[in-house]
Amino acid sequence: FFCCHFIAKRNNAMLWRTTAAFAALPRSARRHFYSATTISMSPNSADASSADPHLWLEDVLGEKQLQWVEQCNKKCIDTVGDPKQTQTYTRIKSILDSKDKIPHAYRIGNGADSQYYNFWQDEQHVQGIWRRTSLESYKSKEPQWTTVLDLDALPPPTTDTAKTWVWHGSTLLDEGANSQWDRAIIRLSPGGSDADTAREFDLKTEQFVDADGPDRGFALDQPAKTRIAYRSRDEVLVGTDFGQDGSTLTDSGYPRVVKSWKRGTPIDQAVTVFEGEQTDIAAHQYAFHDRGFVHEFQLRSITFYTSKYFYRLLTADGIASTTADEETTPFKEVPIPEDAELGVFADMAMITLRSDFEAPSTGSTFKAGSLVTLPISELMENDWSSAFAMFEPTPNRSLSSTSETKDYNILKILEDVKTNLEFWQYADKCWTKQGGDDANDGGAVPVGQDVSVGSHCRDSSADNKLWLWRDGYLVPDTLEMASAEDCCAKTEHIKSKPAMFSADGLCVEQHFCRSADGTQIPYFVMRKKDLVMDGSNPVLLDAYGGFEISMLPGYSAGVGAGWLERGGTKVVANIRGGGEYGPTWHQAALKEKRYKCFEDMEAVAQDLIDKKLTSREKLACIGGSNGGLLVGNLITRPIASSLFGAAVCQVPLLDMKKYTKLLAGASWAGEYGDPDTDDWTFLRKHSPYHLLRNDILGKPELGDDEILGEPTESTNADWTCPKTLFTTSTRDDRVHPGHARKMVAALLEEAGTEKAPQVLYWENTEGGHGGAADNSQRAYMWALTYNFLAMTLGLEK
């Protein structure tokens, strides 16, 4: 239903780094992040409110600010109508709650009594349940589930506006070959914020382990930007806001200090084992068992795309008996480029490159986007003589992701945004490609469809069985069990999702158009087969264009029921900044080249109009988070704003002068640039808030000397804002809701209805960065969105 933002694709060994839970600050410290950041003023300068009269809206939880939100929400619902009273809401809610959805289940444990666990939400389980069943039962039409943890039965959170718990997942205790798989750290978020709590859970008794009981369970009850994982049964490595004063967090608000916390001791007695720099995004330390080896890493995430790794090899007995602070084996820095990503498979290093790399003393150069492997022992000696590229990109071919089983590494490869799978077997310290170039069942999927594989087990080293998923824009999900040993040639059908919207008479096409610099931009179109190309068709154009995230085909019943089934056409553009063609495609729209992804959207929009698929009055754009920044630019750029009649801007970044000072914003300087440096020269051109207020409306701007300038002539006197709906969440502690609030205030109060005929704003008090905390909230948000678009583009009377 909504873009998963800032998702990184990692193998299991790296998973804790990228999906570890985030945190909220205590009330005493939260004002530092949630309140309006003070602009430093010289004695001769105006005050902050003169430079930015909407600055006050950055105080997220202020009484007047929440009253402003309430008034905007009321106006929005009065204009569009109550989503709950519409068929769209009923359809989407029923889809989200449907028991016909395929439950994603993964095995915990490797013995005969191992079970498949799934997290599930429906109308009876609003916040959700964690449940389990056997494989035989899971394969049946109506599995018999046992509830392990019921979130609705827990006492509600007491954090600010949060009323519900949101599941953030579990981290298992893995002790290697003899693991009992009996403990987990459960992470729950109040209201859906990145901030969450962490408590130890006993998978045998199916109860939380009492922190004050005989087993002295690990518990962090205060929501915080926490990363926590087991190192051994009686030790966890934890990074959090120790002391609740922000002193152990980075400028980005993530953990800077990692400590060894021993069972039965208070958190304030945890011992520091690693520290990053204040300007880093985060610091991490993590240890894990992998196919008979025990690896431990320290990691400085310097920027979103650069890191320093430090490594030591341990033994199973050693990690079980010696805590991190007492271990004498030294860490050594891993000699790889800072912009490379590092994983392991058994004793092999798996290195994904973001830039061309000349291997020392070999004369070999590996291309950006390559997956390079060599023994980690040789890597630590900077000996690359046996390194080889398991994958090397071409201009239209890139590595999307990897999956692992006991003996195989499976590559998901994109070729012009169409999926192929490659299987590599590891045996006798050697990698061998399986089945030749064309002998896999996952290759050459039809246009608008996708295939993915992943281990059926939380311990991917247990065996070579796989879940194989197929779906597409118009093709419901199917789940099969397969084996990497025959490259998924033979599969066992497990489950199919029934069609949740009518795709009769619909088709999917892939087109290419040329951007301003001549680059070919692919895009998918979902439309009626008999559509008349007369420019009268309501079209919704979706894109993301950032953080190397690819927009791949997938079945969205919400899009189908909320838009396609009602007669709308949906377009997905694979613009630069994404990962569809690897890191070079992403880097083509990085920092000062950000405008390239805006030009790509303008090219796609113009192509749709030129083909008479639609017209300006019937064309809308939509995007969230980084995609919200994209939409913000589209409604303020001279060319783009004349191409769209409507827009939906979700959880957006919009004030690029302030973004690094608001919540997690500093962590994205590697993507956008640092506004406190000379980068502001180009960032200013990509900041929708400034494009609106200072360029289009000619409002005074604060200069480099911190003196407020004079009003100026409009740079685009003929500009008219497309009719726009902004949505965000009070509980979003990743992208500050002040971005959307201030932009809306500027449009309503300064542009006025003459320049901005219709501007609506809806802010959910829960939901975090996803915008919604449960199925009812998700259905409400998306029904509101599609009803606004239908009304604005004339899809329905």
Side-chain angles (χ1 to χ4, degrees):
F1 274 84
F2 52 91
C3 292
C4 295
H5 308 303
F6 314 122
I7 297 174
K9 300 178 289 289
R10 306 289 194 273
N11 59 28
N12 289 339
M14 295 298 294
L15 192 62
W16 104 282
R17 168 192 170 194
T18 57
T19 62
F22 302 116
L25 296 168
R27 185 179 296 273
S28 60
R30 192 175 296 128
R31 287 284 174 178
H32 174 69
F33 292 89
Y34 271 166
S35 62
T37 303
T38 302
I39 298 178
S40 175
M41 291 290 170
S42 69
N44 296 324
S45 65
D47 61 21
S49 62
S50 298
D52 183 359
H54 313 298
L55 188 67
W56 66 282
L57 288 167
E58 291 179 9
D59 186 350
V60 175
L61 303 174
E63 182 178 353
K64 291 183 179 180
Q65 288 78 1
L66 291 178
Q67 289 175 355
W68 181 90
V69 168
E70 184 178 358
Q71 292 170 0
C72 288
N73 284 354
K74 183 179 184 303
K75 177 187 174 184
C76 180
I77 302 306
D78 288 346
T79 302
V80 182
D82 182 357
K84 287 188 176 182
Q85 304 303 314
T86 66
Q87 182 66 21
T88 307
Y89 172 85
T90 303
R91 284 291 312 284
I92 294 177
K93 177 69 162 54
S94 67
I95 289 168
L96 290 169
D97 286 338
S98 173
K99 291 179 171 56
D100 291 328
K101 295 178 300 182
I102 299 178
H104 294 215
Y106 297 91
R107 193 179 79 191
I108 295 179
N110 296 326
D113 61 345
S114 60
Q115 297 272 291
Y116 285 73
Y117 286 70
N118 159 259
F119 182 75
W120 183 262
Q121 289 177 294
D122 58 27
E123 59 185 357
Q124 283 82 36
H125 307 100
V126 176
Q127 296 175 72
I129 54 173
W130 198 31
R131 57 186 187 172
R132 59 177 172 82
T133 192
S134 66
L135 178 59
E136 291 71 22
S137 177
Y138 181 69
K139 290 180 179 180
S140 68
K141 185 176 181 180
E142 296 185 2
Q144 299 302 303
W145 295 97
T146 298
T147 297
V148 177
L149 179 64
D150 185 348
L151 271 60
D152 293 277
L154 298 175
T158 58
T159 305
D160 299 321
T161 61
K163 301 174 183 177
T164 59
W165 290 110
V166 175
W167 177 257
H168 270 192
S170 61
T171 301
L172 301 177
L173 170 60
D174 179 0
E175 297 176 289
N178 299 317
S179 183
Q180 300 178 51
W181 304 104
D182 62 338
R183 293 290 175 89
I185 302 292
I186 303 295
R187 304 187 307 277
L188 301 176
S189 162
S193 62
D194 283 346
D196 57 18
T197 62
R199 293 177 65 187
E200 189 173 25
F201 192 83
D202 190 318
L203 293 172
K204 301 301 183 184
T205 65
E206 298 183 347
Q207 300 289 328
F208 284 109
V209 182
D210 189 351
D212 298 320
D215 290 338
R216 307 298 297 272
F218 295 106
L220 295 172
D221 295 327
Q222 177 67 44
K225 291 191 173 181
T226 298
R227 285 176 164 89
I228 182 170
Y230 289 102
R231 188 174 183 272
S232 66
R233 177 166 292 271
D234 295 320
E235 179 190 15
V236 295
L237 293 170
V238 57
T240 189
D241 185 11
F242 298 104
Q244 300 295 313
D245 59 2
S247 63
T248 59
L249 302 178
T250 65
D251 291 342
S252 298
Y254 299 124
R256 181 181 58 81
V257 175
V258 181
K259 297 187 178 186
S260 165
W261 185 17
K262 303 171 186 62
R263 186 179 300 279
T265 63
I267 187 67
D268 58 11
Q269 290 183 14
V271 180
T272 298
V273 291
F274 184 57
E275 293 190 41
E277 300 294 331
Q278 186 66 36
T279 55
D280 289 347
I281 292 180
H284 323 261
Q285 183 166 326
Y286 51 100
F288 54 93
H289 298 257
D290 185 23
R291 298 163 179 82
F293 297 88
V294 181
H295 305 286
E296 187 162 27
F297 286 93
Q298 292 175 336
L299 171 65
R300 284 181 53 209
S301 295
I302 301 171
T303 71
F304 211 87
Y305 305 108
T306 59
S307 304
K308 282 186 178 294
Y309 293 86
F310 306 87
Y311 171 75
R312 64 185 177 191
L313 179 66
L314 302 176
T315 65
D317 290 339
I319 198 170
S321 60
T322 307
T323 56
D325 58 308
E326 296 172 344
E327 175 59 58
T328 58
T329 303
F331 282 96
K332 291 178 60 178
E333 184 172 348
V334 183
I336 59 174
E338 285 191 354
D339 63 350
E341 293 182 4
L342 175 64
V344 294
F345 187 106
D347 58 344
M348 299 295 288
M350 310 293 286
I351 303 163
T352 305
L353 299 174
R354 283 200 178 96
S355 58
D356 292 350
F357 173 65
E358 183 176 347
S361 305
T362 66
S364 300
T365 297
F366 298 104
K367 295 180 181 179
S370 295
L371 175 60
V372 179
T373 180
L374 74 162
I376 196 166
S377 59
E378 295 180 12
L379 173 63
M380 295 308 295
E381 297 301 323
N382 209 19
D383 176 6
W384 293 76
S385 57
S386 63
F388 84 99
M390 184 176 290
F391 174 82
E392 190 169 74
T394 66
N396 67 337
R397 199 164 178 263
S398 67
L399 180 62
S400 177
S401 62
T402 64
S403 302
E404 299 174 355
T405 67
K406 179 182 179 183
D407 303 306
Y408 292 83
N409 192 38
I410 303 101
L411 313 184
K412 180 173 180 175
I413 296 167
L414 297 182
E415 188 164 354
D416 284 330
V417 206
K418 294 185 286 288
T419 299
N420 277 278
L421 300 177
E422 280 188 5
F423 295 78
W424 290 79
Q425 183 182 25
Y426 184 63
D428 300 323
K429 297 186 179 298
C430 179
W431 288 104
T432 306
K433 186 178 179 181
Q434 301 298 294
D437 290 334
D438 301 313
N440 68 78
D441 190 50
V445 299
V447 169
Q449 296 185 33
D450 192 30
V451 61
S452 297
V453 294
S455 175
H456 72 119
C457 187
R458 290 283 293 269
D459 174 17
S460 65
S461 66
D463 56 36
N464 290 318
K465 293 180 181 179
L466 289 163
W467 290 136
L468 186 145
W469 295 84
R470 305 179 197 267
D471 71 341
Y473 288 125
L474 304 179
V475 180
D477 312 12
T478 60
L479 174 63
E480 303 160 56
M481 181 163 272
S483 173
E485 294 173 0
D486 65 358
C487 303
C488 298
K490 298 178 181 178
T491 66
E492 176 188 1
H493 178 269
I494 303 298
K495 295 185 182 296
S496 295
K497 179 191 291 182
M500 293 192 167
F501 66 92
S502 175
D504 294 344
L506 299 179
C507 65
V508 178
E509 303 167 323
Q510 186 183 35
H511 297 275
F512 293 81
C513 67
R514 290 193 180 278
S515 192
D517 62 2
T519 302
Q520 289 272 68
I521 308 300
Y523 65 89
F524 292 95
V525 178
M526 292 153 266
R527 66 171 180 84
K528 293 180 180 179
K529 293 178 182 178
D530 59 358
L531 197 73
V532 178
M533 299 294 188
D534 61 359
S536 67
N537 305 296
V539 173
L540 178 59
L541 173 57
D542 192 358
Y544 188 72
F547 294 90
E548 207 172 327
I549 293 173
S550 302
M551 296 279 281
L552 302 183
Y555 190 72
S556 173
V559 172
W563 190 246
L564 297 176
E565 207 174 61
R566 297 164 74 175
T569 295
K570 178 73 182 291
V571 177
V572 176
N574 304 113
I575 61 177
R576 283 175 285 186
E580 289 85 350
Y581 292 96
T584 55
W585 191 251
H586 166 240
Q587 293 159 12
L590 206 60
K591 293 187 176 181
E592 72 276 7
K593 295 173 284 189
R594 198 83 203 162
Y595 68 94
K596 294 291 186 181
C597 68
F598 310 146
E599 289 183 345
D600 292 352
M601 283 292 277
E602 291 170 345
V604 174
Q606 189 63 61
D607 201 47
L608 297 174
I609 294 172
D610 290 345
K611 285 182 167 69
K612 296 190 181 299
L613 178 62
T614 190
S615 58
R616 192 259 182 184
E617 295 76 14
K618 297 290 184 176
L619 178 60
C621 56
I622 187 171
S625 192
N626 173 77
L629 172 63
L630 172 68
V631 171
N633 275 274
L634 295 180
I635 65 174
T636 51
R637 284 170 60 89
I639 294 177
S641 60
S642 66
L643 294 172
F644 294 97
V648 178
C649 190
Q650 303 166 311
V651 289
L653 289 88
L654 296 168
D655 184 346
M656 301 308 286
K657 182 65 174 176
K658 292 286 297 294
Y659 87 94
T660 56
K661 298 178 175 65
L662 299 173
L663 300 178
S667 64
W668 311 319
E671 177 80 9
Y672 303 123
D674 184 351
D676 293 328
T677 69
D678 290 342
D679 290 354
W680 178 240
T681 302
F682 62 78
L683 262 172
R684 169 65 174 75
K685 301 173 184 177
H686 310 153
S687 179
Y689 191 58
H690 294 82
L691 294 177
L692 171 66
R693 295 196 69 251
N694 306 124
D695 290 356
I696 295 173
L697 302 180
K699 301 298 180 182
E701 184 172 4
L702 200 67
D704 293 338
D705 55 4
E706 297 186 340
I707 295 178
L708 194 63
E710 297 295 328
T712 60
E713 292 292 327
S714 173
T715 58
N716 187 6
D718 297 328
W719 172 82
T720 300
C721 183
K723 297 177 181 179
T724 306
L725 169 66
F726 292 83
T727 66
T728 188
S729 166
T730 311
R731 296 294 306 162
D732 188 348
D733 56 354
R734 193 180 311 176
V735 176
H736 198 292
H739 286 280
R741 289 180 179 183
K742 294 198 304 177
M743 188 76 169
V744 169
L747 287 165
L748 292 176
E749 299 170 18
E750 295 177 299
T753 55
E754 181 180 350
K755 290 291 185 182
Q758 186 175 70
V759 176
L760 299 175
Y761 180 78
W762 183 75
E763 180 177 314
N764 188 12
T765 57
E766 290 195 305
H769 193 53
D774 56 42
N775 289 346
S776 294
Q777 293 179 18
R778 294 182 189 104
Y780 191 97
M781 177 180 70
W782 283 105
L784 174 67
T785 298
Y786 290 127
N787 290 342
F788 164 79
L789 290 167
M791 176 185 72
T792 305
L793 300 185
L795 182 64
E796 298 170 347
K797 292 184 180 180

